Amino acid sequence: MAHEARRRHGEPGGRTLDGARSAPGQPLWRQKDFGVFWAAQTLSVLGDSFALIALPLLVLQATGSVARMGMLTAVGSVAAVVAAVFAGALVDRADRRRLLIACDLVRMVLYGVVPVVWLFGARIWLLYVVLPLCEAVGMLFAVGHVTVVRGLVGGERLTEANGRLNATAAAAGVLGPLGAGVVAGWTGPAAAVGVDAASFGVSAACMLLVRFRARPADDRARQGGSLWRDLRAGVSFLRGHPVLRSLTALLCVFSFFTLGLTDLVIYHLKHDLGHDDGTVGTVMACGALGTIAGSLLVARIRRRLGFGRTWTGAVAVCGLAFAGLGPAHGVPLVAALAAAFLACVGIAGTCSMSLRQEITPEPLLGRVTSAFWTLQYSAAPIGAAVLTWSAEHRGTASVSLVAGGCCVLVAVAALFTPIRRSGRSS
């Protein structure tokens, strides 16, 4: 693929975190700092997957409305989009290690408030306060997370490292939904949120042990300027790169139709099919198995097929799986389709993230990531609200067919953009 200005970073023989020369062929499992970072993220996702199930269950338990579930998802997503505007500038200026630790500690406190308050009775309004704040802090953490991976492993192992991070996060996601379903069934969804809070504390403790690569002294000196200038710098880079420009536009549409999928699956299982919280956890755990498979295979698939065919094919399969979720009446079929959807989301997401990390200059990485996610999710909160409202009034079968078909059209549209010509070198 012909990039306008392809830059390679983290070449073999570069500096490691402690200033020593890195070993070009050193496998990831022998890189101590990446290993600790890897463990911290896995623990964090393990707890976070509890909240993924527990928060919608709290709303459904109190209101019985999938539309209210979708509204909570939408409010949290709006907060994440707003935070993304500021996140890149903060990450590019800040000490990234301290920033990541602070984000973990803040989320530990915020999520910890929920089970304490729930001891005295359900307070749905609290979720509309806690979740947006946690999503905003989570966006800041996510941007920081993306910017440090390249410094930990080097450019040659980015796709492999991202795949492993996603795979073990998904493995944690297998246990998380199962555990959330069991805990929610025994003691209520609020207790599952408490597990999430504790996981962020453990993640912060692990992060204290990681040594991140020292950034060049002039990196932060070049970060002056207004917030508008910072955001414009990230947007300008995306606009100037043909593949990233196309990806941003198409993922905006894809996110619009898919952000509410988890709420839709939960509602379908509980309302349409009449199953309990344990079944919800089991199905979501099966979905996470798909993410594991996709994340472990993505590096090999991308090397063989190239970026364009890998990304486009993954998005097309996502659409087909989504279209089948609503009409599916058996739990095994719902679980299989969820696994297929999440496997391909993992493949497409890992590819796009690795590409951004590979071609973005280090001083711009935070702002480019921030701008990308701001634009990608700008319409997603509206989509989540529309999707869940439509499911409540029109049924999950018709809504999933329409949304899945639109996802397939996103893949078709990619064939008419520079993404199609993205070859094996991408």
Side-chain angles (χ1 to χ4, degrees), residues 225-265:
S226 66
L227 174 63
W228 172 246
R229 182 181 298 176
D230 286 331
L231 181 61
R232 190 170 57 186
V235 172
S236 296
F237 187 85
L238 292 174
R239 187 175 60 233
H241 193 285
V243 175
L244 293 183
R245 181 173 64 240
S246 301
L247 276 175
T248 305
L250 292 176
L251 282 173
C252 180
V253 178
F254 182 81
S255 298
F256 178 90
F257 288 106
T258 59
L259 182 64
L261 179 132
T262 298
D263 294 333
L264 198 69
V265 171

Side-chain angles (χ1 to χ4, degrees), residues 352-409:
S352 63
M353 180 168 65
S354 299
L355 182 67
R356 288 198 316 276
Q357 290 169 317
E358 290 163 1
I359 65 180
T360 305
E362 176 70 24
L364 276 174
L365 189 53
R367 284 168 288 172
V368 169
T369 300
S370 179
F372 185 86
W373 283 346
T374 299
L375 296 171
Q376 176 183 345
Y377 291 108
S378 57
I382 300 173
V386 170
L387 189 77
T388 51
W389 181 91
S390 300
E392 188 169 281
H393 291 82
R394 302 293 182 185
T396 54
S398 59
V399 170
S400 66
L401 283 170
V402 171
C406 290
C407 293
V408 172
L409 291 177

Side-chain angles (χ1 to χ4, degrees), residues 83-344:
V85 176
F86 304 91
L90 290 174
V91 168
D92 282 339
R93 286 177 168 85
D95 181 309
R96 290 169 178 170
R97 177 170 174 268
R98 292 179 181 176
L99 181 67
L100 294 177
I101 292 171
C103 288
D104 272 341
L105 294 176
V106 169
R107 288 183 290 177
M108 177 188 73
V109 172
L110 288 172
Y111 277 126
V113 170
V114 174
V116 173
V117 171
W118 242 252
L119 291 173
F120 304 96
R123 299 290 187 271
I124 295 298
W125 64 265
L126 179 63
L127 302 183
Y128 286 88
V129 175
V130 169
L131 184 63
L133 290 174
C134 287
E135 287 293 306
V137 175
M139 175 58 72
L140 185 60
F141 183 94
V143 174
H145 169 277
V146 169
T147 63
V148 301
V149 173
R150 184 169 66 190
L152 284 170
V153 303
E156 295 299 322
R157 292 189 177 273
L158 265 175
T159 301
E160 181 185 358
N162 287 327
R164 292 194 179 192
L165 284 165
N166 290 339
T168 51
V174 172
L175 299 176
L178 285 172
V182 171
V183 172
W186 285 353
T187 61
V193 180
V195 175
D196 184 27
S199 73
F200 285 117
V202 178
S203 176
C206 290
M207 205 72 71
L208 287 169
L209 303 177
V210 181
R211 298 168 300 163
F212 292 119
R213 181 181 58 124
R215 296 165 63 187
D218 62 340
D219 251 18
R220 294 185 208 176
R222 292 197 295 261
Q223 305 306 317
S226 66
L227 174 63
W228 172 246
R229 182 181 298 176
D230 286 331
L231 181 61
R232 190 170 57 186
V235 172
S236 296
F237 187 85
L238 292 174
R239 187 175 60 233
H241 193 285
V243 175
L244 293 183
R245 181 173 64 240
S246 301
L247 276 175
T248 305
L250 292 176
L251 282 173
C252 180
V253 178
F254 182 81
S255 298
F256 178 90
F257 288 106
T258 59
L259 182 64
L261 179 132
T262 298
D263 294 333
L264 198 69
V265 171
I266 292 173
Y267 183 73
H268 181 52
L269 288 168
K270 290 183 68 68
H271 180 269
D272 298 341
L273 304 183
H275 292 284
D276 59 14
D277 293 349
T279 303
V280 171
T282 301
V283 169
M284 299 307 294
C286 291
L289 288 173
T291 306
I292 296 173
S295 299
L296 290 175
L297 293 172
V298 61
R300 183 180 303 174
I301 295 172
R302 185 184 173 192
R303 281 194 300 268
R304 183 166 185 173
L305 301 181
F307 176 86
R309 284 186 286 179
T310 301
W311 189 89
T312 304
V315 171
V317 175
C318 281
L320 295 173
F322 195 174
L325 278 169
H329 293 294
V331 171
L333 181 57
V334 173
L337 290 171
F341 178 87
L342 292 175
C344 291

